[in-house]
Amino acid sequence: MTQLKENLIQIDFSPSVRELTRLDLEADGEAGAFALADAPRPQSYHIITYGCQFNVSDSERIEAQLKEQGMSAASDEASAELVLINTCSVRANPENKVLSKLGELRLLKQDRPDLVVGVCGCMAQREGEALLKQAPVIDLLVGTANVPRVSELAQKVRATRSRQVALEIPTTRTEALAFERGGTRVGTMGKLKSFLPIIEGCDKFCAFCIVPKTRGRERSRPMEEIVRDVERLAANGCKEVTLLGQTVNAYGMIEDGGHRKSAPHFAYLLERLNNVEGIERIRFTSSHPADFRDEMINAIARLPKVCEWIHLPFQAGDNEVLRRMGRGYTREAYIALVQKIRERIPNVVLTTDIMVGFPGETDAQHEKTAELVEELRFDSAYMFAYSPRPDTPAAVLGEQVPRAVKKARLNQIIAMQNAITCEINAAAVGSEVEVLVEGPSQKNPKLMTGLTRGNKTVNFTGPEALRGQFARVSVTEGHLWGFMGEWTGRVSLSSFEAERKGAAA
């Protein structure tokens, strides 16, 4: 799973299982069924989300459940009857934030004993019931594979006045193929842009990564189900959908005699979604270099609605480090893949992940990573120092790199990449870009904001009436974060660039 940045995304949401009936709950016994049906439900809730887009998507699905149960959003945890924390385990800092927040909720619950506190997501899955010992304030502990049950379990907490725990997850290939919770993966409706998981879990088992433990083995969703979800999103006003997976381009992969092959390939899914009326932009993240097939490159180059943005983590530039990481490709193979992508998609925007300080990494090996950054010149990168994750092979390796050394290496890479990003963006001054307008900028409401097809932020002068439309914007300034611009007066309800690519095809 790609950890895009160490951040806090706090979402104020206003759950999606059907109304619970006596029949649904008969396994709990007749008294329990009556108690749950009659119990007062929490009426307001607040969700706090840490981590990547996958966690944001899970929180949106939880939001959909809570809305379906008739609950409303609270502006903060102090005014909510149900507080849910959706957690991340890719690095240590988000986990520390969760523990700190649970400490605050413990004090809040002393004054409001009816408050229901839930922890969901990767940290809940990794820590399991051990987390309950660290934070007894938790009433509800839900793992990554049990997101569809959150509202049901929150209701059970109230009805039975007892803690509810749901942590089962597929850990073997057989379990993964059999495991299916069902139901839509569509979260909040009526949004201009939406995230949609298409594959969950990971079979790569990189030495540094906790995802196979927190998310389980790879399991691809049925293609027809994904198409229906995208059609539903489009019918409700969505114009841009981002397909999600820990290794999203492993979608549909199966094992055949020890070799991975597609059945059907991810490129065919892109083809199907390109034909959904109303959807104007299709993105996907995050891709793994070992599964990036020629068919994918051709699909991005050819399909009008598939955006020319690829997030392709390389992690390290030295072959021995890559081997010990278990990444499954070499430096040379990665460079060749990037060259092939750029030849076939000349206007592609390439972003990446870079890790420094993996156990045993020498100064010379680190310099090979720096050389690769200079050679390939990514548009931007998520850069971080290796952080040991419990229950991963790398955590018990010898030769852990000292913290001060990791910090110095990271600062070097950040300075190099930031300079490259600024140079690339400055070179765009004077050009015109297509922006899907999201509305006024949060930092400066006098400006409108949106993203290019290359996933770069543009803040520009223009009327608020442009919201939801595709505006043609002239770039006046290039910055580390993106562009400043001026609206040219041209606008459309659909994508200019998709039309141009379609005509060229």
Side-chain angles (χ1 to χ4, degrees):
M1 174 179 175
T2 300
Q3 177 68 16
L4 294 188
K5 53 187 173 183
E6 192 171 276
N7 63 348
L8 163 65
I9 308 170
Q10 183 159 317
I11 308 173
D12 297 329
F13 286 132
S14 263
S16 97
V17 296
R18 61 196 179 284
E19 184 74 18
L20 292 167
T21 66
R22 179 175 174 179
L23 180 61
D24 296 324
L25 300 165
E26 62 183 3
D28 289 338
E30 186 145 334
F34 277 120
L36 189 52
D38 298 337
R41 296 185 179 90
Q43 295 302 307
S44 61
Y45 64 92
H46 186 75
I47 300 178
I48 301 169
T49 305
Y50 296 86
C52 68
Q53 298 105 317
F54 221 106
N55 283 26
V56 174
S57 175
D58 285 347
S59 289
E60 291 182 346
R61 292 163 61 195
I62 293 170
E63 171 219 12
Q65 297 175 40
L66 299 174
K67 277 187 174 180
E68 194 170 296
Q69 291 286 0
M71 296 176 64
S72 59
S75 58
D76 54 40
E77 53 260 32
S79 54
E81 295 176 81
L82 169 65
V83 176
L84 295 170
I85 307 175
N86 196 1
T87 61
C88 173
S89 265
V90 172
R91 283 182 283 166
N93 196 49
E95 292 191 348
N96 293 334
K97 291 179 180 179
V98 170
L99 294 174
S100 177
K101 178 59 68 176
L102 287 170
E104 295 174 16
L105 294 174
R106 178 181 62 82
L107 297 177
L108 185 62
K109 194 163 183 173
Q110 288 177 356
D111 296 328
R112 297 175 50 212
D114 286 340
L115 174 67
V116 176
V117 175
V119 175
C120 313
C122 293
M123 184 177 178
Q125 192 70 56
R126 185 185 71 78
E127 291 275 356
E129 297 194 30
L131 186 58
L132 302 176
K133 296 179 181 179
Q134 296 183 68
V137 69
I138 298 172
D139 302 299
L140 177 63
L141 191 67
V142 181
T144 55
N146 287 277
V147 166
R149 299 185 61 201
V150 169
S151 60
E152 166 202 343
L153 294 169
Q155 188 182 342
K156 280 188 176 183
V157 171
R158 275 293 182 93
T160 64
R161 297 192 177 276
S162 64
R163 179 181 283 150
Q164 298 295 317
V165 177
L167 297 171
E168 66 269 29
I169 190 171
T171 57
T172 67
R173 168 61 59 184
T174 301
E175 288 176 352
L177 294 174
F179 194 91
E180 179 55 50
R181 283 288 179 200
T184 180
R185 298 306 197 274
V186 174
T188 307
M189 304 304 293
K191 293 178 61 177
L192 189 64
K193 304 189 303 178
S194 292
F195 295 124
L196 183 65
I198 65 167
I199 178 173
E200 300 189 34
C202 185
D203 285 356
K204 292 294 188 289
F205 295 98
C206 297
F208 55 81
C209 187
I210 194 68
V211 167
K213 181 175 177 63
T214 61
R215 293 276 179 179
R217 300 298 300 268
E218 280 179 10
R219 49 203 188 276
S220 297
R221 299 180 57 211
M223 185 173 294
E224 295 304 323
E225 185 181 280
I226 296 169
V227 173
R228 285 195 298 270
D229 278 352
V230 173
E231 289 173 341
R232 184 177 173 217
L233 285 169
N236 283 273
C238 178
K239 292 187 177 181
E240 177 179 305
V241 63
T242 300
L243 309 178
L244 297 181
Q246 277 73 35
T247 51
V248 69
N249 56 327
Y251 176 80
M253 291 285 181
I254 62 172
E255 300 291 340
D256 181 30
H259 301 284
R260 291 165 64 83
K261 72 174 187 178
S262 56
H265 195 270
F266 179 58
Y268 180 56
L269 174 63
L270 294 178
E271 182 98 39
R272 291 284 306 275
L273 298 182
N274 186 76
N275 294 325
V276 175
E277 187 175 350
I279 292 296
E280 298 292 338
R281 286 181 176 179
I282 301 167
R283 305 186 192 276
F284 55 88
T285 192
S286 186
S287 298
H288 194 286
D291 288 333
F292 215 99
R293 305 288 200 265
D294 287 349
E295 294 94 330
M296 282 184 61
I297 300 174
N298 293 334
I300 299 167
R302 178 176 57 85
L303 296 174
K305 296 179 182 180
V306 179
C307 292
E308 303 77 25
W309 167 66
I310 299 173
H311 188 73
L312 193 67
F314 78 84
Q315 303 296 4
D318 178 80
N319 282 338
E320 175 59 21
V321 175
L322 289 170
R323 184 192 66 78
R324 287 188 284 112
M325 285 181 169
R327 290 294 289 170
Y329 54 84
T330 63
R331 172 194 180 98
E332 293 75 21
Y334 186 92
I335 292 173
L337 175 59
V338 168
Q339 290 173 341
K340 185 186 297 185
I341 289 171
R342 285 177 166 160
E343 288 171 3
R344 188 74 180 88
I345 315 167
N347 60 334
V348 69
V349 171
L350 275 176
T351 59
T352 194
D353 290 351
I354 307 171
M355 178 188 294
V356 303
F358 187 76
E361 182 187 66
T362 66
D363 288 341
Q365 289 170 335
H366 167 72
E367 284 306 312
K368 289 186 178 180
T369 294
E371 291 169 4
L372 198 62
V373 171
E374 286 282 9
E375 178 180 350
L376 295 184
R377 293 181 63 81
F378 297 95
D379 286 78
S380 65
Y382 296 106
M383 299 160 282
F384 48 93
Y386 167 74
S387 174
R389 298 284 73 211
D391 303 316
T392 61
V396 296
L397 289 176
E399 301 182 274
Q400 295 287 329
V401 177
R403 181 170 181 171
V405 174
K406 288 193 288 188
K407 183 177 180 180
R409 291 176 182 175
L410 179 60
N411 287 341
Q412 178 199 9
I413 295 296
I414 289 174
M416 291 174 58
Q417 179 57 53
N418 285 356
I420 292 169
T421 297
C422 289
E423 290 169 6
I424 291 173
N425 289 347
V429 172
S431 66
E432 286 189 4
V433 293
E434 175 191 284
V435 179
L436 177 54
V437 185
E438 299 173 35
S441 167
Q442 289 186 351
K443 292 186 176 180
N444 185 353
K446 294 181 180 180
L447 299 175
M448 302 299 286
T449 191
L451 295 177
T452 67
R453 284 175 65 96
N455 210 33
K456 296 189 179 185
T457 298
V458 183
N459 292 337
F460 65 98
T461 56
E464 191 167 344
L466 292 174
R467 186 196 299 263
Q469 300 189 66
F470 291 89
R472 205 69 173 172
V473 175
S474 176
V475 176
T476 58
E477 299 175 21
H479 299 276
L480 179 63
W481 52 265
F483 304 126
M484 288 290 295
E486 296 176 352
W487 180 42
T488 65
R490 296 175 60 202
V491 70
S492 173
L493 294 175
S494 60
S495 169
F496 296 92
E497 298 299 331
E499 292 172 3
R500 185 166 66 181
K501 189 194 285 190

